Amino acid sequence: MGKTVLDKGWLAARSTEVEINGVQLTTTQPPTQPLNSPWMEAAVPGTVLGTLLKNKLIPDPFYGLENEAIIDIADSGREHYTFWFFTTFECKLSNNQHVDLNFRAINYSAEVYLNGHKEVLPKGMFRRHSIDITDILHPDGQNLLAVLVYPPDHPGRIPPEGGQGGDHEIGKDVAAQYVEGWDWMTPIRDRNTGIWDEVSITVTGPVKIVDPHLASSFFDGYKRVYLHSTVELVNKNALVAECSLNIQVSTELQDGTFLVEHLETQHVSISVGATIHYTFPQLYFYKPNLWWPNGMGKQHLYNVEITVNVKGYGESDTWSHHFGFRKIESHIDSATGGRLFKVNDQPIFIRGGNWILSDGLLRLSKERYKTDIRFHADMNFNMMRCWGGGLAERPEFYHYCDLYGLLVWQEFWITGDCDGRGDPVSNPDGPLDHDLFLLCARDTIKLLRNHPSLALWVGGNEQVPPPDINAALKNDLQLHPYYMNSNNSGTSTITPVIKDPSQYLDGTRVYVQGSMWDGFADGKGDFSDGPYEIQNPEDFFKHDYYQYGFNPEVGNVGMPVAATIRATMPPEGWQIPLFKKLSNGYIEEVPNPIWTYHKYIPYSKPEKVHDQILLYGKPKDLDDFCLKAQLVNYVQYRALLEGYTSQMWSKYTGVLIWKTQNPWTGLRGQFYDHLLDQTAGFYGCRSAAESIHVQLNLATYSVEVVNTTSEELSNVAIEASVWDLEGECPYYKTSEKLTVPPKKTISTFEMKYPKSKNPKPVYFLLLKLYDVSDNHIYSRNFYWLHLTGGDYKLLESFRERRPPLKITSLTFIKGSSYEMRMHIQNTSKKPDSNTPLYRNNFIRRNGSCDELDSSESFDLLEKHEISLYEKIRRNFSKEHNKAKVSEVNGTGKGVAFFLHFSVHASKEENKKGEDTRILPVHYSDNYFSLVPGEVMTVTISFEVPPGVTPRVTLHGWNHHDVHTVL
């Protein structure tokens, strides 16, 4: 019973090199072992290109210019990327059992052969296929499976000048459109041909469960909720099936203990060979635990299990899914014109990013998805937009969005560049087969609709679908009356005559026809998203920076660290740009050809923005360039989000950054690179998108407090201190007690230091928002600033002023998992002052600290750290805990600037240029700075490959020697 995933033991061969047919392959002449040419180990799930790369038959298309050495399907013909995939599996049935062979997605069409029998899988990249194979399994249980996969019908040709979507021919198919290349992506040579998603067999009894739909409705101010459930049942038996249909709802309490909250049983009779849709009586919950987006509350998930038992047989099939009780609404806000989202009746200011897919070769995995989604949650984002030129994302993606609280905007496969505009002008009528598009859309809706993270459907990117498709989607996705916007949801009543919401295809989420319509951008479809390049940081705060209420795309730079450049490019790609001075005084960056190929976006915009890297002095080499780029990344993205949040609700309802990552080794618009190392922009976003945040308005120099929570923030104050390059504190101010209303940004006082007598040309500003009663820090924000018209070149000599540090580490080890608590203290001398400057570093706590091996080194812990430590300690055995104190001697006092941890594999001898980083690593903070006497805590977690000993290092702007702290 149940599902078996077929993801191992696959072979592949180019169809033109296989001289026998599918019947012969799956009867008398299967591929033999060991592998004989043309057969090779296959990547399933995966693509043809992924299989060729796995066998080292092509160079790595993500490395340097190697993609140019791979033949494009436009030049080779479709036959070159038409491939056989072959495997064997065991399946022997008992009496009255049935089995289906399932393909969750293939690209683009296929012929399936099983034990000599042929089935055709029709076209479409985003549709599921299920074949009843009960009668063609071998009696001995050994089965031979071969699949001949064909590329998209219209793979297109790449014009010499490239462009958005190549020649746009791919838009004629129902397939991902990015594969012909974009301004952030080079072409994918096989156009993602392959069995790119899960293959499985499912064994059931005589009755099968198909595509249950779960929905919930709320009443009495969210105290009362009803769970609605409709399920499709298929009777494969030759007799009438008398069924006992059960639904069970449970919730996990702790440590794997579950509480069953509902268990309902219904009797159903199903005729011979019939398919029915059965709707359960609604289940009632009182004061359920709600699912909230990231930053608004916990992501409570219930487990819903549906089981069908057949009289005379027993359990026939079972289905389970996590489900979150929540209500998502949105409307066009009258004050801003932007689309305003509400979750469980609470407005949510959207701060998120655009998402393409994890990997351009569709090497998708649960592990990669988990890291991707956790990274977005770590940045304090609350929404991800799945862009229309990419994928209908997979259930595993949505699973982690459910767990981490990321709302998802899911687009269908329309984008203006391939569907009505561009050069050459593309087909304005969308894909050629509109019925196929709608079939794929409806199947995708059924696949994803039960995930609480799914927030809205959107017709397309910068374009609406053709009128007939758009009308059909509007009709299919019309809202059920329960989900209409209501200003008085607490007084709603159940009306029995209303159709049960679970009987809709969806009906619980809004459908918006395009990414620049109906409350997004100008709302009318005109080009009004962007901009997509470097900006003056202060411009983000100006009222005229962006005209509309919700910006679905605003892009910027994304240079990774130098180690990533060396790992993904040959030495000729390590050359930094030339800085060409123009007659107007601006600088034009001229990158090397490999950077150009990898879509590098410059750090200057002649006529508007002076080169932001040169503000720190001309870089000497790759390491210097990339370090200065990280400074700019941090400033750019923090300013971007702070600028939007500064005008929360008064001008804006949300912003989505273009984009959060690249599905290959690109050099623009990313917060972590394709190798999963974060840029400093990641931590600039993490700071700016805090639920409670103190910030400097770079246009007015007023200090602002942001409260995006639903609770009033009272009895708080702001501490502002300015630090010069000599380690002195020439400016210090604390505010009066403040009260910050919920969902509000307030302006407090002007930071007047730049207007004071003899201000320093370059200085640091530390802002802290703290609780007056116990000095607990709600938000800490560190800036480096220069006077108007100045630059940061004085920071170059500041690199030699190295303050001493003390790093106390506690390491928890469980198998290959490491969890580290790092306390970093700047031990340089504090300036003489009578101010309470250091009172709110941390709260001195005793209690649990005496259980640590080095308690006196850990007596500075914040309240929330105690509980976090206890949680970690319970999951790691005490025998594998390690404590260590590291001293980093210094040559001067002052700010320890732009400190950065990294984790490496410890080796006695490293090959020159070898990338020793262990990735991914999750840091609670990185690229941080400490003023004299200040202490900070950083949590680091990572997995170590087998046989590898990790080494944790720390370096920074004025700690350029690498210090090993573990």
Side-chain angles (χ1 to χ4, degrees):
M1 289 284 291
K3 181 172 79 171
T4 301
V5 176
L6 306 181
D7 59 356
K8 295 180 177 62
W10 285 86
L11 306 176
R14 183 169 281 113
S15 63
T16 54
E17 298 176 4
V18 177
E19 296 179 352
I20 56 178
N21 60 36
V23 173
Q24 293 167 305
L25 280 173
T26 57
T27 52
T28 58
Q29 299 181 60
T32 57
Q33 296 286 351
L35 299 181
N36 292 330
S37 181
W39 294 95
M40 66 194 83
E41 290 186 10
V44 176
T47 63
V48 169
L49 221 56
T51 288
L52 294 173
L53 181 61
K54 180 177 182 177
N55 291 276
K56 300 181 179 179
L57 296 175
I58 58 169
D60 185 349
F62 292 179
Y63 184 86
L65 299 176
E66 299 292 359
N67 193 48
E68 291 296 282
I70 303 172
I71 189 169
D72 192 84
I73 192 171
D75 301 313
S76 67
R78 293 173 69 247
E79 296 80 8
H80 186 76
Y81 288 111
T82 300
F83 263 62
W84 281 105
F85 293 89
F86 177 89
T87 193
T88 63
F89 65 90
E90 292 186 23
C91 184
K92 191 172 184 179
L93 300 181
S94 302
N95 289 336
N96 212 5
Q97 283 188 322
H98 299 262
V99 60
D100 290 310
L101 173 63
N102 310 297
F103 296 85
R104 207 163 67 183
I106 57 100
N107 190 28
Y108 186 61
S109 60
E111 298 172 10
V112 177
Y113 296 83
L114 178 64
N115 301 333
H117 296 263
K118 177 183 177 181
E119 292 282 346
V120 175
L121 300 187
K123 300 172 183 178
M125 184 174 180
F126 304 109
R127 64 186 296 181
R128 295 170 295 172
H129 306 272
S130 186
I131 306 169
D132 189 332
I133 58 173
T134 305
D135 297 333
I136 53 180
L137 294 178
H138 274 160
D140 64 1
Q142 303 299 315
N143 300 281
L144 307 176
L145 173 63
V147 185
L148 181 61
V149 179
Y150 295 95
D153 291 348
H154 301 89
R157 181 170 296 276
I158 314 304
E161 65 275 10
Q164 312 292 72
D167 65 358
H168 311 128
E169 283 292 295
I170 195 70
K172 294 180 178 178
D173 295 331
V174 184
Q177 299 183 2
Y178 76 93
V179 291
E180 282 199 67
W182 227 264
D183 58 6
W184 43 265
M185 183 79 180
T186 53
I188 303 295
R189 300 304 187 188
D190 68 344
R191 308 295 192 263
N192 284 156
T193 301
I195 307 172
W196 69 274
D197 199 6
E198 179 186 276
V199 184
S200 67
I201 55 171
T202 50
V203 178
T204 70
V207 175
K208 177 184 177 182
I209 296 172
V210 178
D211 291 333
H213 185 201
L214 308 176
S216 55
S217 56
F218 295 90
F219 303 91
D220 299 334
Y222 293 83
K223 293 179 183 177
R224 185 162 51 108
V225 63
Y226 293 88
L227 177 66
H228 308 268
S229 314
T230 295
V231 60
E232 183 179 327
L233 300 170
V234 181
N235 182 9
K236 297 189 172 187
N237 206 2
L239 300 172
V240 173
E242 300 296 335
C243 303
S244 175
L245 189 60
N246 306 309
I247 183 168
Q248 175 180 294
V249 183
S250 59
T251 183
E252 185 172 5
L253 300 178
Q254 59 180 3
D255 301 326
T257 303
F258 287 83
L259 171 68
V260 176
E261 300 215 6
H262 273 286
L263 178 59
E264 178 86 13
T265 301
Q266 297 290 315
H267 178 266
V268 182
S269 181
I270 310 175
S271 302
V272 175
T275 297
I276 68 167
H277 288 83
Y278 180 80
T279 300
F280 282 94
Q282 57 200 20
L283 301 180
Y284 169 68
F285 295 77
Y286 181 66
K287 291 186 177 179
N289 293 319
L290 301 181
W291 184 93
W292 292 97
N294 188 32
M296 293 184 72
K298 294 183 179 180
Q299 290 75 51
H300 288 288
L301 293 170
Y302 291 77
N303 189 62
V304 180
E305 183 173 339
I306 298 174
T307 304
V308 59
N309 294 276
V310 178
K311 185 177 180 179
Y313 178 84
E315 183 176 300
S316 180
D317 198 6
T318 186
W319 175 92
S320 64
H321 203 285
H322 282 113
F323 184 75
F325 288 115
R326 61 95 185 98
K327 183 178 182 181
I328 296 177
E329 302 170 275
S330 70
H331 65 275
I332 300 175
D333 178 43
S334 59
T336 63
R339 183 161 287 272
L340 190 153
F341 287 85
K342 295 171 70 176
V343 179
N344 303 331
D345 211 34
Q346 292 292 323
I348 175 172
F349 188 72
I350 298 297
R351 291 176 292 190
N354 285 267
W355 167 268
I356 313 301
L357 65 160
S358 280
D359 180 77
L361 299 187
L362 300 187
R363 293 170 292 191
L364 310 179
S365 69
K366 291 181 180 179
E367 294 76 15
R368 177 87 187 203
Y369 274 137
K370 182 178 181 180
T371 298
D372 281 320
I373 305 309
R374 182 176 171 184
F375 274 174
H376 286 74
D378 286 347
M379 285 188 284
N380 293 314
F381 283 176
N382 53 32
M383 179 175 277
M384 298 171 70
R385 173 195 172 206
C386 292
W387 175 73
L391 299 183
E393 265 301 354
R394 302 296 89 196
E396 292 80 6
F397 171 93
Y398 278 90
H399 169 71
Y400 289 111
C401 287
D402 293 344
L403 291 181
Y404 287 108
L406 274 298
L407 297 171
V408 184
W409 156 337
Q410 178 68 64
E411 283 178 7
F412 296 109
W413 319 284
I414 294 289
T415 178
D417 301 274
C418 295
D419 297 293
R421 64 165 194 260
D423 184 14
V425 175
S426 54
N427 173 30
D429 200 28
L432 296 180
D433 190 336
H434 289 198
D435 289 338
L436 174 60
F437 185 98
L438 287 169
L439 187 152
C440 289
R442 289 163 181 152
D443 196 57
T444 295
I445 292 165
K446 291 179 180 179
L447 178 68
L448 303 177
R449 62 190 176 184
N450 293 317
H451 289 277
S453 56
L454 177 57
L456 75 159
W457 304 101
V458 178
N461 166 60
E462 298 179 346
Q463 183 62 290
V464 298
D468 59 324
I469 293 178
N470 197 36
L473 290 174
K474 285 182 178 180
N475 182 67
D476 288 347
L477 294 170
Q478 60 181 311
L479 287 175
H480 186 280
Y482 288 163
Y483 301 92
M484 298 292 187
N485 290 315
S486 172
N487 294 324
N488 196 16
S489 59
T491 61
S492 299
T493 57
I494 297 177
T495 306
V497 297
I498 295 179
K499 186 178 179 182
D500 187 286
S502 65
Q503 294 174 9
Y504 280 52
L505 179 63
D506 188 341
T508 68
R509 301 168 179 90
V510 68
Y511 167 76
V512 176
Q513 59 186 339
S515 67
M516 299 190 300
W517 278 259
D518 303 329
F520 299 124
D522 77 343
K524 301 174 183 177
D526 299 320
F527 275 107
S528 49
D529 46 9
Y532 298 93
E533 62 278 311
I534 196 79
Q535 301 290 312
N536 294 306
E538 63 273 16
D539 289 348
F540 292 112
F541 294 83
K542 295 177 180 178
H543 190 74
D544 61 355
Y545 168 70
Y546 184 71
Q547 186 177 351
Y548 306 105
F550 193 118
N551 194 344
E553 294 184 16
V554 53
N556 215 299
V557 293
M559 191 68 189
V561 298
T564 292
I565 296 297
R566 294 192 175 96
T568 57
M569 297 180 186
E572 53 267 32
W574 304 353
Q575 300 301 312
I576 65 175
L578 300 174
F579 296 96
K580 179 182 177 182
K581 190 168 184 177
L582 305 178
S583 59
N584 59 9
Y586 286 88
I587 297 295
E588 178 186 356
E589 290 185 17
V590 183
N592 68 64
I594 298 180
W595 284 26
T596 299
Y597 192 77
H598 286 254
K599 314 297 184 177
Y600 173 77
I601 186 171
Y603 283 73
S604 65
K605 184 180 180 183
E607 305 292 343
K608 183 177 180 182
V609 183
H610 286 286
D611 195 285
Q612 298 293 288
I613 286 179
L614 292 183
L615 290 179
Y616 297 90
K618 189 173 182 179
K620 304 176 183 64
D621 52 26
L622 179 65
D623 291 281
D624 195 27
F625 181 92
C626 290
L627 178 57
K628 288 172 177 173
Q630 299 317 310
L631 288 162
V632 182
N633 290 344
Y634 193 106
V635 170
Q636 281 286 302
Y637 286 109
R638 178 178 60 181
L640 189 160
L641 285 183
E642 288 183 342
Y644 275 89
T645 309
S646 176
Q647 300 179 75
M648 177 175 67
W649 311 130
S650 63
K651 184 171 175 59
Y652 301 124
T653 60
V655 58
L656 299 176
I657 297 173
W658 183 267
K659 47 194 177 4
T660 56
Q661 47 75 248
N662 280 296
W664 79 305
T665 49
L667 299 180
R668 63 165 58 197
Q670 60 187 356
F671 298 125
Y672 57 95
D673 59 45
H674 194 257
L675 304 183
L676 298 177
D677 199 357
Q678 300 98 328
T679 72
F682 183 105
Y683 298 97
C685 282
R686 179 178 174 82
S687 171
E690 293 175 308
S691 297
I692 298 171
H693 182 61
V694 60
Q695 64 186 37
L696 178 68
N697 185 312
L698 296 178
T700 65
Y701 264 57
S702 63
V703 177
E704 301 172 339
V705 179
V706 179
N707 179 13
T708 63
T709 74
S710 57
E711 302 294 329
E712 181 180 85
L713 190 62
S714 59
N715 204 36
V716 296
I718 298 168
E719 176 189 79
S721 57
V722 168
W723 297 83
D724 62 25
L725 301 186
E726 286 71 43
E728 301 298 330
C729 180
Y731 176 91
Y732 179 84
K733 179 180 176 62
T734 57
S735 71
E736 300 293 330
K737 287 184 183 180
L738 301 171
T739 297
V740 188
K743 311 288 184 182
K744 188 77 173 176
T745 298
I746 67 167
S747 180
T748 60
F749 60 88
E750 182 183 356
M751 212 285 285
K752 295 184 177 180
Y753 175 76
K755 300 177 182 178
S756 63
K757 186 177 181 181
N758 298 321
K760 299 299 176 69
V762 175
Y763 59 95
F764 304 109
L765 170 66
L766 176 61
L767 297 177
K768 293 179 183 177
L769 177 71
Y770 64 97
D771 191 306
V772 173
S773 61
D774 64 6
N775 298 324
H776 172 73
I777 301 173
Y778 285 100
S779 176
R780 175 190 181 277
N781 203 349
F782 183 89
Y783 295 84
W784 50 102
L785 301 164
H786 61 71
L787 298 182
T788 302
D791 56 39
Y792 294 112
K793 291 177 181 176
L794 287 176
L795 287 176
E796 194 64 49
S797 59
F798 180 68
R799 297 177 101 159
E800 305 307 316
R801 187 180 289 272
R802 189 173 71 175
L805 299 174
K806 180 180 180 180
I807 302 110
T808 311
S809 62
L810 178 62
T811 305
F812 301 85
I813 307 171
K814 182 179 181 181
S816 62
S817 299
Y818 280 67
E819 183 90 21
M820 301 183 65
R821 308 286 290 158
M822 293 284 193
H823 290 260
I824 312 98
Q825 182 174 12
N826 181 344
T827 57
S828 65
K829 184 180 177 182
K830 306 174 186 178
D832 294 330
S833 175
N834 295 321
T835 66
L837 180 62
Y838 299 97
R839 67 183 180 184
N840 55 0
N841 269 332
F842 290 95
I843 298 175
R844 288 190 173 270
R845 303 280 294 181
N846 295 316
S848 300
C849 297
D850 59 5
E851 296 181 19
L852 301 172
D853 294 337
S854 181
S855 61
E856 60 183 302
S857 300
F858 285 86
D859 63 348
L860 297 176
L861 289 170
E862 292 186 271
K863 288 180 179 178
H864 71 279
E865 289 181 347
I866 295 294
S867 60
L868 180 57
Y869 160 70
E870 289 295 337
K871 183 177 180 181
I872 295 171
R873 187 176 63 83
R874 285 197 301 268
N875 293 323
F876 292 80
S877 62
K878 193 168 184 178
E879 307 85 70
H880 293 91
N881 298 347
K882 297 179 181 179
K884 179 182 178 181
V885 178
S886 302
E887 300 277 356
V888 180
N889 295 324
T891 55
K893 69 175 185 178
V895 172
F897 183 49
F898 218 53
L899 299 174
H900 173 219
F901 283 110
S902 58
V903 183
H904 300 261
S906 182
K907 296 182 179 180
E908 292 184 4
E909 294 184 5
N910 293 330
K911 298 178 183 177
K912 186 176 181 181
E914 181 181 5
D915 187 6
T916 62
R917 289 173 298 171
I918 293 174
L919 297 170
V921 181
H922 297 277
Y923 303 93
S924 63
D925 207 350
N926 221 350
Y927 295 99
F928 58 93
S929 304
L930 297 173
V931 303
E934 194 178 22
V935 183
M936 191 170 184
T937 305
V938 174
T939 303
I940 306 174
S941 60
F942 53 92
E943 296 286 329
V944 173
V948 171
T949 300
R951 179 172 59 94
V952 180
T953 64
L954 177 71
H955 52 94
W957 182 263
N958 52 351
H959 279 275
H960 31 88
D961 297 329
V962 175
H963 306 289
T964 301
V965 295
L966 174 69

